[in-house]
Amino acid sequence: MITTIQQVLIPNGDRYQTVDVRLEGEKIGAIAPRLEAKGHLINGRNKLLLPGFVNAHTHSSEMWSRGAIAPLPLELWLAELYDQTLTDPEQVYLSALGTAVETLLSGGTTVVDHLSLIPGQEEASVAAVVRAYREVGIRAYVGPLVYDFSLPAGVPSRGRVRDIPPGEQTASEVLELLERIVEAYHRPEDGISIMAAPTGLQLCSTDLVEGCRDLSDRYSLCRHTHLLETKAQQMLVQEKYGCSAVELFNKLGFLGDRTSLAHGVWLSDTDIDLLASTQSTVVHNPLSNLRLGSGIAPILRYRQAGVNVSFGCDGAASNDSQDLLEAIKIGSILHNITDAEYQNWIRPIESVQMAALGGVTGLGMADQLGTLDAGKTADLVMYDLTSLSLLPRTDPIGLLVLGRPTNAIHSAWVNGKSVVVDGHVTTVDVKELRQRLFEHSQWNRLDESLPLDSASLWRRETEPHYRYVMGLTKGSQ
Amino acid sequence: MITTIQQVLIPNGDRYQTVDVRLEGEKIGAIAPRLEAKGHLINGRNKLLLPGFVNAHTHSSEMWSRGAIAPLPLELWLAELYDQTLTDPEQVYLSALGTAVETLLSGGTTVVDHLSLIPGQEEASVAAVVRAYREVGIRAYVGPLVYDFSLPAGVPSRGRVRDIPPGEQTASEVLELLERIVEAYHRPEDGISIMAAPTGLQLCSTDLVEGCRDLSDRYSLCRHTHLLETKAQQMLVQEKYGCSAVELFNKLGFLGDRTSLAHGVWLSDTDIDLLASTQSTVVHNPLSNLRLGSGIAPILRYRQAGVNVSFGCDGAASNDSQDLLEAIKIGSILHNITDAEYQNWIRPIESVQMAALGGVTGLGMADQLGTLDAGKTADLVMYDLTSLSLLPRTDPIGLLVLGRPTNAIHSAWVNGKSVVVDGHVTTVDVKELRQRLFEHSQWNRLDESLPLDSASLWRRETEPHYRYVMGLTKGSQ
């Protein structure tokens, strides 16, 4: 299959140029000012072509809770979320479809799904998202969200003796499950990769982290985890291990050039240098970090230290959208308030590079994806620059990153295959998807006979101790 | 004209209820679980009805520069913007159309346009936006952006003797012009109000501020200005007047219950109390404050002190969109990182109240607008809850505020008149508007024969001194 995109704008250093782009099978065959009009011809006039972005951290099944959880800090928000666990793999399938569609329609061609598993239906959960991502045709990295501690273990003790229940599965049980999932679903050549993705040090033993590391070595898997999202997590690791989470991950051999770490808000300069020297990637999830009050990740310092940074939406219960362009915009401008030296601020063209090349670098794919170069795999997105939201004509990438593009995605290709045409996802029926999401859900607080939402069981258990730990109770400061 | 919206969701305290809503002429006639099916019937099923929001601070003509200016702090960004001044009132008309359409399609039914005037064509500039807002049918407050100092006066001296050129017009010339504009265009009964809106203390003499105050008293105009957007502005007023900008505005009699103040980032607790006691309104422009590195306005403290707060997009050169829902989302979640006490965080229903009732309160219209009550004027927006971005069904307002609603506006009414139907603005031809915005503009940096953008003349003049003032030059700290 040969396609020629004719006379499309692409960035070229600090300028733009108008070119023809040839797609040959899975690859970008050629890029030049004029190419022979071969194969399927696409009019690229008044459009901008960019490498596809990576939604480098999300939890697809959280879509069922989006909009539903009150503004709360992570530890209490998580307690609420735990009470909204899904039970039906069909729901997991539908939210993965939704996540994939929203990612594609906001410039993403790859999704990293740190996937919550339904207890007792773990493999069916993975099967459900793999089916969804194959149907949509998005490139997917699925990291089963595994842990071997119970939820209360995720909050520091701060000197209190607490009765923390054991986790529901041991590290070795979890690792056996993971290996079965890898055997069954890890098919990178088909665009579906399984990741070794422990939840984080707050809910995982060092045995589990080391087991994940070994599994990733054995099967050449990418590694993924949460890193120092909140101040409480920083306190917890320090209290438990006497070192920082980065130092511990480094000791455990978990860092490296195919390791991506979500959040990275509470790091010291030493930690940052360690991420740089191990070539690890930080996934910046600005909207989630604001919504949960986690803080501002020191992204400008990461960039100065040479740490690769990419963008994620995070799960829809903590964002609550899967619009990658929104995450890129806020994740770029948010840091202007952290450094008076404006020469360090992120420029729009740099945001695009972080979202594309930065994203694939964290997945060990920088040699195959992330730039517009002949020979690379064709994961591409073409934007319609005549959308009202991108007018008047000024700087196309400035408009895309700093504006709020609406109905701006014209086309997308993953692995050379067309998945969006004229603003519509062509591989799945989005109208039917909406209908099914609608039917499987209910608006909250509509029935007067039901009591108003009150704190979940888990939250009620967690909240007094959390307030003590964070110095929010009188006398605890 | 009578319209009955049937079986639509509305918020009711912390719950939702399904009601019929009768529109009678300009007013909300009745709201009840069931009303007689009178007049034009509209199916409200699976839709949410809210009072229209206020885009409480913008500069419509900046749309011509959106996406174009590099990430820079306000004082240098402004220098760049000054070199992009428009010359044709037709452009001013088109950008007002664009601003109105984007505001309507993101939940706003009122726009506050702090309008840059084309030098020498000041009245024609106002005429152009008034024409645009009448055509679209949006409620508009137009505050001509007046000043009597030259741009370099806007940066503190920090002990340096500087040769600051005089302004191009004197305070009395400006005030005469303003009065002519008020006489010609102030028609609140038709939905077009002129405001007394000096740029701010950084570019206006106290004579001009007092003259604006007198004009507002004489013609019952709302007052509007920029307040302490940047640290440099805080330094400047202190250096020049030996007090804070709030104290000075108070002395000058400019504060009050129809005074709205854009930004309010650099205020002391005493300043905040002064705003509360004078019943002044702060307009929060979170995206602009991030993009320009201005800081985070202390919105939670405003709320605790009883200061009314509303939301604005700010001009499209500093945001660079006019999507009010984006400003509401970021302006709500941004503050979660400023206070560990999560019980103070803004809940989605409160965000909606700030955007609607908060907005009209700052314009002295709280008795007529801003809530869903029979007898109030019908400025309403109805959201389609079956948009993919608002699914699955959970909490409709949680989804609207914390998500990223896309194609979610179903209908809008201003003053009882329908202006959006089925997602389309019906009063103007948006396709033609796009065409005209396209034709009147050019993409930047496409022509290789032209030099790359370099700093504007004004910026080159301003930058060395700005760096000295902000301690960004070696030896200046």
Side-chain angles (χ1 to χ4, degrees), chain B residues 62-191:
Chain B
E62 282 186 16
M63 187 173 268
W64 294 98
S65 298
R66 76 172 169 189
I69 304 181
L72 287 170
L74 176 104
E75 286 72 18
L76 301 182
W77 166 92
L78 197 59
E80 293 282 347
L81 187 65
Y82 264 53
D83 273 8
Q84 300 182 14
T85 308
L86 302 183
T87 54
D88 181 359
E90 180 71 4
Q91 280 187 294
V92 176
Y93 164 73
L94 291 174
S95 48
L97 281 183
T99 300
V101 167
E102 293 196 349
T103 298
L104 276 179
L105 293 179
S106 59
T109 50
T110 295
V111 62
V112 174
D113 188 354
H114 205 181
L115 177 71
S116 292
L117 306 173
I118 301 175
Q121 300 184 73
E122 291 86 358
E123 289 169 78
S125 304
V126 176
V129 302
V130 166
R131 176 160 70 99
Y133 294 142
R134 281 184 191 276
E135 285 179 14
V136 174
I138 199 169
R139 191 179 299 280
Y141 287 74
V142 178
L145 186 79
V146 293
Y147 47 89
D148 56 344
F149 292 164
S150 66
L151 198 61
V155 181
S157 293
R158 208 186 156 197
R160 276 189 177 169
V161 178
R162 287 191 298 153
D163 183 21
I164 297 173
E168 288 179 14
Q169 289 184 296
T170 65
S172 59
E173 285 168 345
V174 170
L175 290 165
E176 281 167 28
L177 166 69
L178 265 186
E179 189 150 9
R180 287 198 301 276
I181 289 170
V182 172
E183 293 278 1
Y185 299 105
H186 184 56
R187 301 289 180 274
E189 64 285 3
D190 293 342

Side-chain angles (χ1 to χ4, degrees), chain B residues 119-343:
Chain B
Q121 300 184 73
E122 291 86 358
E123 289 169 78
S125 304
V126 176
V129 302
V130 166
R131 176 160 70 99
Y133 294 142
R134 281 184 191 276
E135 285 179 14
V136 174
I138 199 169
R139 191 179 299 280
Y141 287 74
V142 178
L145 186 79
V146 293
Y147 47 89
D148 56 344
F149 292 164
S150 66
L151 198 61
V155 181
S157 293
R158 208 186 156 197
R160 276 189 177 169
V161 178
R162 287 191 298 153
D163 183 21
I164 297 173
E168 288 179 14
Q169 289 184 296
T170 65
S172 59
E173 285 168 345
V174 170
L175 290 165
E176 281 167 28
L177 166 69
L178 265 186
E179 189 150 9
R180 287 198 301 276
I181 289 170
V182 172
E183 293 278 1
Y185 299 105
H186 184 56
R187 301 289 180 274
E189 64 285 3
D190 293 342
I192 302 287
S193 302
I194 302 297
M195 309 175 97
T199 298
L201 290 171
Q202 66 281 9
L203 291 179
C204 297
S205 66
T206 53
D207 283 352
L208 182 53
V209 173
E210 288 181 311
C212 285
R213 174 205 64 198
D214 291 345
L215 198 70
S216 84
D217 286 345
R218 209 151 60 244
Y219 289 93
S220 293
L221 309 178
C222 291
R223 299 176 194 148
H224 188 69
T225 192
H226 291 105
L227 175 71
L228 291 170
E229 180 172 358
T230 64
K231 193 175 172 186
Q233 289 178 5
Q234 185 197 42
M235 294 164 68
L236 176 71
V237 175
Q238 199 68 44
E239 167 183 300
K240 216 162 158 179
Y241 300 101
C243 66
S244 82
V246 175
E247 287 165 341
L248 185 54
F249 272 130
N250 189 47
K251 273 185 224 160
L252 297 174
F254 194 78
L255 304 181
D257 63 3
R258 298 217 294 179
T259 299
S260 57
L261 306 151
H263 305 299
V265 179
W266 292 88
L267 274 72
S268 69
D269 285 343
T270 312
D271 291 335
I272 293 175
D273 289 341
L274 213 41
L275 295 186
S277 65
T278 55
Q279 296 180 271
S280 304
T281 289
V282 170
V283 184
H284 184 30
N285 302 278
L287 293 152
S288 168
N289 295 160
L290 293 177
R291 194 232 206 257
L292 301 177
S294 305
I296 299 180
I299 299 299
L300 301 185
R301 281 163 58 208
Y302 285 128
R303 288 167 52 80
Q304 284 153 19
V307 176
N308 181 54
V309 178
S310 60
F311 295 106
C313 291
D314 206 353
S318 73
N319 176 350
D320 305 50
S321 83
Q322 293 299 302
D323 193 300
L324 198 45
L325 287 165
E326 181 186 44
I328 294 168
K329 173 176 181 173
I330 303 305
S332 299
I333 66 176
L334 180 58
H335 309 286
N336 299 0
I337 60 171
T338 66
D339 190 346
E341 180 47 89
Y342 51 89
Q343 291 168 355

Side-chain angles (χ1 to χ4, degrees), chain A residues 84-201:
Chain A
Q84 300 181 13
T85 308
L86 302 181
T87 54
D88 181 358
E90 180 69 5
Q91 280 187 294
V92 176
Y93 164 73
L94 291 175
S95 48
L97 282 182
T99 300
V101 167
E102 294 197 349
T103 298
L104 276 179
L105 293 180
S106 58
T109 49
T110 295
V111 62
V112 174
D113 189 354
H114 205 182
L115 177 71
S116 292
L117 306 173
I118 300 175
Q121 301 183 74
E122 292 84 359
E123 289 168 78
S125 304
V126 175
V129 303
V130 167
R131 177 160 70 96
Y133 295 141
R134 282 184 191 277
E135 285 179 14
V136 175
I138 199 168
R139 190 178 300 280
Y141 287 74
V142 178
L145 187 77
V146 292
Y147 47 90
D148 55 345
F149 291 164
S150 66
L151 197 61
V155 181
S157 294
R158 206 184 157 198
R160 276 188 177 169
V161 178
R162 288 190 300 152
D163 183 21
I164 296 173
E168 288 179 14
Q169 289 183 298
T170 64
S172 59
E173 286 167 344
V174 169
L175 290 165
E176 281 166 29
L177 167 68
L178 265 186
E179 187 149 11
R180 288 198 302 275
I181 290 171
V182 172
E183 293 278 1
Y185 298 105
H186 184 56
R187 301 289 180 273
E189 64 286 2
D190 293 343
I192 302 285
S193 302
I194 303 297
M195 309 175 97
T199 298
L201 290 171

Side-chain angles (χ1 to χ4, degrees), chain A residues 27-345:
Chain A
K27 301 287 182 189
I28 301 173
I31 301 181
R34 286 279 172 194
L35 291 170
E36 192 191 335
K38 265 174 75 174
H40 177 54
L41 302 182
I42 292 176
N43 181 359
R45 283 204 183 274
N46 305 325
K47 299 185 187 78
L48 173 73
L49 187 74
L50 293 177
F53 301 148
V54 179
N55 185 354
H57 180 68
T58 189
H59 309 281
S60 63
S61 61
E62 282 186 16
M63 186 173 269
W64 294 97
S65 298
R66 77 171 166 189
I69 304 181
L72 287 170
L74 175 104
E75 285 73 16
L76 302 182
W77 167 91
L78 197 59
E80 293 282 346
L81 187 65
Y82 263 54
D83 273 10
Q84 300 181 13
T85 308
L86 302 181
T87 54
D88 181 358
E90 180 69 5
Q91 280 187 294
V92 176
Y93 164 73
L94 291 175
S95 48
L97 282 182
T99 300
V101 167
E102 294 197 349
T103 298
L104 276 179
L105 293 180
S106 58
T109 49
T110 295
V111 62
V112 174
D113 189 354
H114 205 182
L115 177 71
S116 292
L117 306 173
I118 300 175
Q121 301 183 74
E122 292 84 359
E123 289 168 78
S125 304
V126 175
V129 303
V130 167
R131 177 160 70 96
Y133 295 141
R134 282 184 191 277
E135 285 179 14
V136 175
I138 199 168
R139 190 178 300 280
Y141 287 74
V142 178
L145 187 77
V146 292
Y147 47 90
D148 55 345
F149 291 164
S150 66
L151 197 61
V155 181
S157 294
R158 206 184 157 198
R160 276 188 177 169
V161 178
R162 288 190 300 152
D163 183 21
I164 296 173
E168 288 179 14
Q169 289 183 298
T170 64
S172 59
E173 286 167 344
V174 169
L175 290 165
E176 281 166 29
L177 167 68
L178 265 186
E179 187 149 11
R180 288 198 302 275
I181 290 171
V182 172
E183 293 278 1
Y185 298 105
H186 184 56
R187 301 289 180 273
E189 64 286 2
D190 293 343
I192 302 285
S193 302
I194 303 297
M195 309 175 97
T199 298
L201 290 171
Q202 66 280 11
L203 290 178
C204 297
S205 67
T206 52
D207 283 353
L208 181 52
V209 173
E210 288 181 312
C212 285
R213 175 206 63 200
D214 292 345
L215 199 70
S216 84
D217 286 345
R218 207 150 62 243
Y219 289 92
S220 293
L221 309 178
C222 291
R223 299 175 194 149
H224 188 68
T225 192
H226 291 105
L227 175 72
L228 290 170
E229 180 172 358
T230 65
K231 192 175 173 187
Q233 289 178 6
Q234 185 197 41
M235 293 163 69
L236 176 72
V237 175
Q238 198 68 41
E239 166 183 301
K240 215 162 159 180
Y241 300 101
C243 65
S244 82
V246 175
E247 287 166 341
L248 185 54
F249 273 129
N250 189 47
K251 274 184 223 161
L252 298 173
F254 194 77
L255 304 181
D257 63 4
R258 298 218 297 179
T259 299
S260 56
L261 305 151
H263 306 297
V265 179
W266 292 88
L267 274 73
S268 69
D269 285 344
T270 312
D271 291 334
I272 292 174
D273 289 342
L274 212 42
L275 295 186
S277 66
T278 55
Q279 296 180 271
S280 304
T281 288
V282 171
V283 184
H284 184 30
N285 302 278
L287 293 153
S288 170
N289 295 161
L290 293 177
R291 196 233 205 253
L292 301 176
S294 305
I296 299 180
I299 298 300
L300 300 186
R301 281 163 57 208
Y302 285 128
R303 287 167 52 81
Q304 284 151 21
V307 176
N308 181 52
V309 178
S310 60
F311 295 106
C313 291
D314 205 355
S318 74
N319 177 349
D320 305 51
S321 82
Q322 293 299 302
D323 193 301
L324 197 46
L325 287 165
E326 181 185 41
I328 294 168
K329 172 177 181 174
I330 304 304
S332 299
I333 66 175
L334 180 58
H335 309 287
N336 299 0
I337 61 170
T338 66
D339 191 346
E341 179 49 89
Y342 52 89
Q343 292 169 355
N344 295 333
W345 295 357

Side-chain angles (χ1 to χ4, degrees), chain B residues 7 24 41 49 70 91 95 124 164 177 179 187-188 197 222 253 289 321 365 367 387 390 399 420 450 465:
Chain B
Q7 297 302 289
E24 298 178 354
L41 301 182
L49 188 72
Q91 280 187 294
S95 48
I164 297 173
L177 166 69
E179 189 150 9
R187 301 289 180 274
C222 291
N289 295 160
S321 83
M365 294 285 281
D367 56 337
S387 157
L390 299 179
L399 289 163
V420 176
L450 292 176
H465 181 65

Side-chain angles (χ1 to χ4, degrees), chain A residues 14 342 395 445 463 467, chain B residues 14 341-342 395 445 463:
Chain A
D14 276 330
Y342 52 89
D395 177 344
R445 294 185 279 128
E463 192 154 11
R467 292 188 67 81
Chain B
D14 276 331
E341 180 47 89
Y342 51 89
D395 178 343
R445 294 185 276 128
E463 193 154 12

Side-chain angles (χ1 to χ4, degrees), chain A residues 9 12-18 45-47 63-73 76 98 101-102 105 286-296 319-321 323 325-327 329-330 333-334 336-337 340-343 345-348 384-399 402-407 430 433-435 437-452 459 463 466-467 470 472, chain B residues 9 12-18 45-47 63-73 76 98 101-102 105 286-287 289-296 319-321 323 325-327 329-330 333-334 336-337 340-343 345-348 384-399 402-407 430 433-435 437-452 459 463 466-467 470 472:
Chain A
L9 277 181
N12 180 15
D14 276 330
R15 295 182 187 271
Y16 295 92
Q17 66 176 144
T18 303
R45 283 204 183 274
N46 305 325
K47 299 185 187 78
M63 186 173 269
W64 294 97
S65 298
R66 77 171 166 189
I69 304 181
L72 287 170
L76 302 182
V101 167
E102 294 197 349
L105 293 180
L287 293 153
S288 170
N289 295 161
L290 293 177
R291 196 233 205 253
L292 301 176
S294 305
I296 299 180
N319 177 349
D320 305 51
S321 82
D323 193 301
L325 287 165
E326 181 185 41
K329 172 177 181 174
I330 304 304
I333 66 175
L334 180 58
N336 299 0
I337 61 170
E341 179 49 89
Y342 52 89
Q343 292 169 355
W345 295 357
I346 302 169
R347 294 180 301 129
D384 177 2
L385 298 175
T386 71
S387 159
L388 177 61
S389 61
L390 300 179
L391 288 171
R393 289 187 284 174
T394 58
D395 177 344
I397 288 178
L399 289 164
L402 299 172
R404 175 162 167 136
T406 303
N407 302 326
V430 174
L433 170 63
R434 287 167 55 195
Q435 185 61 31
L437 290 170
F438 186 93
E439 286 165 1
H440 278 74
S441 55
Q442 278 290 10
W443 286 308
N444 302 343
R445 294 185 279 128
L446 189 54
D447 186 339
E448 288 196 39
S449 66
L450 293 176
L452 277 175
R459 178 170 154 204
E463 192 154 11
Y466 176 80
R467 292 188 67 81
M470 299 310 291
L472 296 170
Chain B
L9 276 182
N12 180 17
D14 276 331
R15 295 181 187 274
Y16 295 93
Q17 65 176 145
T18 304
R45 282 204 184 274
N46 305 325
K47 299 186 186 77
M63 187 173 268
W64 294 98
S65 298
R66 76 172 169 189
I69 304 181
L72 287 170
L76 301 182
V101 167
E102 293 196 349
L105 293 179
L287 293 152
N289 295 160
L290 293 177
R291 194 232 206 257
L292 301 177
S294 305
I296 299 180
N319 176 350
D320 305 50
S321 83
D323 193 300
L325 287 165
E326 181 186 44
K329 173 176 181 173
I330 303 305
I333 66 176
L334 180 58
N336 299 0
I337 60 171
E341 180 47 89
Y342 51 89
Q343 291 168 355
W345 295 357
I346 302 169
R347 293 179 302 130
D384 177 2
L385 298 175
T386 71
S387 157
L388 177 61
S389 60
L390 299 179
L391 287 171
R393 289 186 285 174
T394 58
D395 178 343
I397 289 178
L399 289 163
L402 299 172
R404 176 162 167 135
T406 304
N407 302 326
V430 174
L433 171 63
R434 286 166 57 194
Q435 185 61 33
L437 290 169
F438 186 93
E439 285 166 0
H440 278 74
S441 55
Q442 279 290 10
W443 285 307
N444 303 341
R445 294 185 276 128
L446 189 53
D447 186 340
E448 287 196 41
S449 66
L450 292 176
L452 275 175
R459 177 169 156 204
E463 193 154 12
Y466 177 81
R467 293 187 66 80
M470 300 309 293
L472 296 170

